[in-house]
Amino acid sequence: MSGVSLAVAPRTEPDQTITSGTKVQPKPLPHQQQQAVAGGVMRSLRVIELQLVAFIMVFSASGLVPLLDIVFPAFTTAYLIALSRFAFPSHGRTSGSQEIFHGSRLFRFYVVVGTTVGLFLPLAYVLGGFARGDEHAVRSATPHLFLLSCQILTENIISGLSLFSPPVRAFLPLLYTVRRIFVVIDWMHDVWLNKTLPANSEFQDMAWFWFGRGLAAANFVYFSINIFCFLIPRFLPRAFERYFREKDEMHAKIEEDKRSAAMNKSQQADKKAD
């Protein structure tokens, strides 16, 4: 969700062979076991996210999402395709993993916290609003869920496609996060200024009221940190670094092929002269 589908993946170690050519399965080291477990957790998390996306997209289409937020995913997709075609075309050659950023265990924990705060708890808040008949809560949190669902779905689609270069894939969470920050600000405005707690409210009503306020504020804090402390200073530069490194490698390979072809042509000419 903060670019998790594009940023996080378990590292793979090369196979080890003996001199006879028989492949030997090395005993996994402790850190490799930890990476495998973390990778399994992240894959399971993505499956859960995609299952929730289908559910969220259904009830988000019931008139609870403003027209601007409905149009935004289509505009973003068209813009990313244009970038991949004219500004940052893919080199067509990818070596190794498609992931841009290999995160540590602390970063994976950060992603899990973001998924909980940004997806699971808002979904529980919206469903609770349906159960309690709180239309105000449902309407204020649904646009955020809709945009996040579109982001998760798009990230999972383009993460394995070589059509999109690293900068284009990095722009995806950046654009969605910028838009969702403004949506979350509207959410905070609704629950902090437009919604009041009736006098002599019961404890459950008070808990629900402050849960909505705290959840909106938590999303604003998390995604503000995400864009200013991760996406812009770390994720985006890493994407451009990888893109231009691959570009330089491709040009170096082309020049090497040209030199080899020229040398072969020269040798053939010398043989004919002899």
Side-chain angles (χ1 to χ4, degrees):
M1 36 179 302
S2 58
V4 57
S5 301
L6 310 176
V8 182
R11 297 178 185 268
T12 56
E13 300 295 335
D15 294 333
Q16 297 180 1
T17 58
I18 60 177
T19 55
S20 62
T22 304
K23 186 176 293 186
V24 177
Q25 296 295 335
K27 183 178 180 181
L29 299 175
H31 74 278
Q32 293 174 332
Q33 294 175 342
Q34 293 173 355
Q35 290 173 351
V37 172
V41 171
M42 299 310 298
R43 283 191 293 271
S44 300
L45 186 61
R46 293 178 190 177
V47 171
I48 295 173
E49 286 177 346
L50 289 176
Q51 291 173 344
L52 291 176
V53 163
F55 175 73
I56 293 170
M57 295 289 284
V58 170
F59 75 78
S60 295
S62 59
L64 298 173
V65 181
L67 180 61
L68 177 61
D69 294 328
I70 294 177
V71 174
F72 181 81
F75 167 78
T76 302
T77 302
Y79 180 65
L80 293 177
I81 293 175
L83 284 179
S84 66
R85 177 65 178 84
F86 301 107
F88 302 103
S90 176
H91 302 313
R93 298 180 180 180
T94 56
S95 58
S97 174
Q98 290 284 328
E99 282 74 16
I100 299 172
F101 189 90
H102 293 278
S104 61
R105 285 184 296 174
L106 180 61
F107 177 74
R108 296 176 191 276
F109 174 75
Y110 165 77
V111 171
V112 172
V113 171
T115 305
T116 302
V117 172
L119 181 64
F120 295 154
L121 291 181
L123 179 59
Y125 182 66
V126 170
L127 294 178
F130 273 117
R132 297 172 59 90
D134 189 349
E135 183 180 351
H136 188 274
V138 175
R139 188 170 296 276
S140 40
T142 298
H144 161 75
L145 278 175
F146 175 79
L147 290 174
L148 185 58
S149 302
C150 293
Q151 177 185 342
I152 294 172
L153 184 61
T154 310
E155 283 183 358
N156 279 273
I157 290 175
I158 75 170
S159 60
L161 297 178
S162 60
L163 172 65
F164 297 95
S165 62
V168 177
R169 288 185 281 133
F171 281 131
L172 170 63
L174 186 65
L175 292 174
Y176 269 101
T177 303
V178 169
R179 175 57 192 160
R180 279 192 292 105
I181 285 180
F182 287 100
V183 171
V184 171
I185 290 175
D186 293 337
W187 180 9
M188 292 179 60
H189 183 270
D190 285 341
V191 296
W192 282 88
L193 299 179
N194 295 340
K195 188 176 182 179
T196 58
L197 190 65
N200 301 324
S201 299
E202 297 182 358
F203 175 77
Q204 293 180 350
D205 296 330
M206 294 179 59
W208 175 255
F209 178 78
W210 285 104
F211 173 66
R213 284 188 166 187
L215 185 59
N219 273 273
F220 177 76
V221 171
Y222 178 86
F223 288 108
S224 296
I225 293 174
N226 183 53
I227 191 171
F228 291 114
C229 298
F230 172 67
L231 289 177
I232 293 177
R234 301 197 63 187
F235 191 57
L236 193 60
R238 186 74 60 90
F240 278 102
E241 178 185 358
R242 175 171 175 172
Y243 177 76
F244 288 112
R245 183 176 67 248
E246 291 178 351
K247 185 176 181 180
D248 292 339
E249 291 174 355
M250 184 185 67
H251 287 319
K253 183 66 169 59
I254 293 174
E255 293 297 327
E256 183 180 354
D257 292 341
K258 288 182 179 179
R259 287 194 299 267
S260 299
M263 290 178 61
N264 292 334
K265 187 176 181 180
S266 176
Q267 292 175 356
Q268 292 177 358
D270 292 341
K271 289 180 180 179
K272 289 181 180 180
D274 294 339

